[in-house]
Amino acid sequence: MADVLKKVPVREQEPKVRATNFDEVCLGYNKEEAMEEAERCLHCKNAKCIEGCPVNINIPDFIGHVKEGNIEEAYKSISESSALPAICGRVCPQESQCEGKCIRGIKGEAVSIGKLERFVADWARENGIKPPVPETKNGRKVAVIGSGPSGLTCAGDLAKLGYDVTIFEALHEAGGVLVYGIPEFRLPKLDVVAKEVENVKSLGVKIETNVIIGKSVTIDELLDEEGFEAVFIGSGAGLPMFMGIPGETAKGVFSANEYLTRNNLMKAFRDDYDTPIVHGKKVAVVGGGNVAMDAARTALRLGAEVHVIYRRSEAELPARAEEVHHAKEEGIIFDLLTNPTEILVDENDSVCGIRCIRMELGEPDASGRRRPVEVPGSEFEMEVDTVIMSLGTSPNPLISSTTIGLDVNRRKCIIADEETGKTSKDGVFAGGDAVTGAATVILAMGAGKAAAKGIHEFLSAKN
């Protein structure tokens, strides 16, 4: 009999093999493995795991169906709450959300809720199962700005309620950060993201690409001239931050956003695409979040020796433990308690090195993490030819600056009510990274879900 305190292991590509390709690292469960893992669920009456899920999936219910081998019913159960289960099963930080609340995890390992969700969604896709289409339309038009996780979720929920929803996407391909930000080896684009987008479209949602809100058309024009009764802003946070140190404008310095967009959306890693990017031989990635891990693991696959430079210790790394573990397995070098002070540049204005200083941890700062303090006299230089800055992002101010009456905070994030998504402008709602700054896919989805409810209540009250 299997040990109920231990998770059923999930199959993965071997580190040495996967470090040379862009195929998905995690291979997921098969049906037998999924059913065995589902047996570990205690089916608590007061299920804390549901509280830990930002979109409130009925986790014990769907796992119960998996346990019985009824995968189609499991998919229907998940689809009541989530429009993107194959994506969430791959990229959500389950360890700090649903699985972090799992009672089984108190005396053993939490149930692999994320891997089970992924299995169910993949099984449904492979067997042609789609979410149920709404029977009636109410004829009322809602515009959604951005086709990332918050926009897709909001649009899907509104379509289920009968609304005529159009998503406006600035890029040439739908998916937002799901297509430009997350690498293929973590989230396959054609097999997973494109199919999830198609599922949302099957609900009746229309997607118009290459539409830049604030240039192609404004929010005021959508409301006053195009017949939309409400607008949801889910435009994300794609404006990169830099350190402001010497050398940041040199050739060979990238923001993580640009580096990943060129590789993920524009397929720079493929020889049959005419969208090349510099393949550094020795790359420094500055930052310690999930995006930094994505950039580092991408550079490794493009043939580089990769160093992650982070000013705190491993205990403070904001990236998921799984991503750090995978990066280490693949050969990424972590230079912790280290902070760059200058990017060194040669006579051709190209990167030739990076100057850093050692750090030590002092007293906790406002975030609760111990503040990094420079160690005097500890400066050193590292020879690199590429530097990728992964220091976070903020919303592009284009939408807020072209919309009358839309309030933002000092970080240019749109101010919106957490429970309804309502902004200072009547009929305009917002959620996800455009409101919070860079965060996770599932939190953006939760915001999109809340805004859909808020929009429905707002428009219902107008009757």
Side-chain angles (χ1 to χ4, degrees), residues 83-84 137 140-159 163-178 193 196-213 216-217 222 228 230-236 448 455:
L84 310 171
K137 292 282 187 181
R140 308 185 75 170
K141 292 173 63 179
V142 178
V144 171
I145 301 171
S147 63
S150 64
L152 290 169
T153 299
C154 184
D157 279 16
L158 287 170
Y163 289 94
D164 181 357
V165 185
T166 302
I167 296 176
F168 296 99
E169 168 57 48
L171 295 173
H172 62 280
E173 192 172 322
V177 70
L178 304 171
V193 179
E196 298 271 69
V197 171
E198 284 301 315
N199 282 347
V200 173
K201 289 171 71 175
S202 75
L203 298 172
V205 174
K206 297 182 286 291
I207 300 179
E208 293 189 20
T209 56
N210 298 308
V211 179
I212 301 174
I213 301 298
S216 307
V217 64
L222 291 174
F228 291 99
V231 175
F232 172 72
I233 304 171
S235 51
I455 289 169

Side-chain angles (χ1 to χ4, degrees), residues 54-378:
V55 295
N56 299 119
I57 292 171
N58 189 335
I59 293 166
D61 183 66
F62 100 75
I63 290 180
H65 290 305
V66 174
K67 179 180 175 181
E68 295 165 2
N70 194 340
I71 314 305
E72 184 169 354
E73 285 302 314
Y75 180 69
K76 288 179 182 176
S77 177
I78 295 173
S79 295
E80 289 176 6
S81 302
S82 175
L84 310 171
I87 292 167
C88 290
R90 286 168 164 83
V91 302
C92 278
Q94 291 99 2
E95 66 277 4
S96 62
Q97 294 178 339
C98 55
E99 293 180 19
K101 299 278 188 180
C102 178
I103 299 300
R104 174 63 79 189
I106 294 175
K107 291 186 177 179
E109 294 179 350
V111 175
S112 288
I113 299 168
K115 298 295 189 293
L116 290 175
E117 181 182 18
R118 168 191 164 148
F119 164 74
V120 170
D122 287 356
W123 182 93
R125 180 182 71 248
E126 291 161 6
N127 287 275
I129 308 299
K130 299 258 185 192
V133 177
E135 294 181 5
T136 58
K137 292 282 187 181
N138 60 26
R140 308 185 75 170
K141 292 173 63 179
V142 178
V144 171
I145 301 171
S147 63
S150 64
L152 290 169
T153 299
C154 184
D157 279 16
L158 287 170
K160 290 175 185 176
L161 292 168
Y163 289 94
D164 181 357
V165 185
T166 302
I167 296 176
F168 296 99
E169 168 57 48
L171 295 173
H172 62 280
E173 192 172 322
V177 70
L178 304 171
V179 293
Y180 75 73
I182 303 176
E184 190 80 13
F185 54 81
R186 280 217 296 138
L187 187 61
K189 305 302 172 252
L190 287 177
D191 289 343
V192 176
V193 179
K195 298 293 173 57
E196 298 271 69
V197 171
E198 284 301 315
N199 282 347
V200 173
K201 289 171 71 175
S202 75
L203 298 172
V205 174
K206 297 182 286 291
I207 300 179
E208 293 189 20
T209 56
N210 298 308
V211 179
I212 301 174
I213 301 298
K215 284 193 174 181
S216 307
V217 64
T218 66
I219 286 177
D220 294 291
E221 288 170 343
L222 291 174
L223 291 168
D224 299 338
E225 301 174 19
E226 300 294 333
F228 291 99
E229 296 186 63
V231 175
F232 172 72
I233 304 171
S235 51
L239 191 64
M241 299 177 185
F242 289 88
M243 293 185 71
I245 60 176
E248 278 187 317
T249 59
K251 299 170 190 173
V253 178
F254 296 89
S255 71
N257 252 31
E258 179 191 358
Y259 192 81
L260 290 170
T261 297
R262 290 179 64 152
N263 274 281
N264 300 334
L265 181 63
M266 300 171 71
K267 305 291 189 283
F269 68 90
R270 286 177 51 170
D271 293 335
D272 56 336
Y273 273 70
D274 190 20
T275 51
I277 194 169
V278 173
H279 289 204
K281 293 182 179 177
K282 191 169 182 180
V283 175
V285 177
V286 182
N290 289 325
V291 176
M293 297 306 115
D294 286 344
R297 296 173 69 197
T298 296
L300 180 85
R301 283 160 171 76
L302 293 175
E305 175 188 306
V306 184
H307 292 249
V308 168
I309 298 175
Y310 181 62
R311 63 184 185 148
R312 288 182 165 96
S313 71
E314 184 168 349
E316 286 81 29
L317 276 168
R320 291 182 67 191
E322 181 179 57
E323 301 308 317
V324 175
H325 172 68
H326 281 158
K328 284 183 172 181
E329 279 190 327
E330 291 165 7
I332 305 291
I333 300 161
F334 283 76
D335 293 301
L336 303 171
L337 290 169
T338 302
N339 204 38
T341 58
E342 181 180 359
I343 296 170
L344 305 176
V345 181
D346 65 18
E347 64 275 8
N348 297 315
D349 195 34
S350 297
V351 173
C352 63
I354 188 166
R355 182 174 289 127
C356 301
I357 189 167
R358 301 292 184 194
M359 311 293 283
E360 60 185 7
L361 296 180
E363 295 300 314
D365 61 15
S367 71
R369 295 183 299 174
R370 292 173 65 191
R371 185 189 301 276
V373 180
E374 293 183 355
V375 177
S378 64

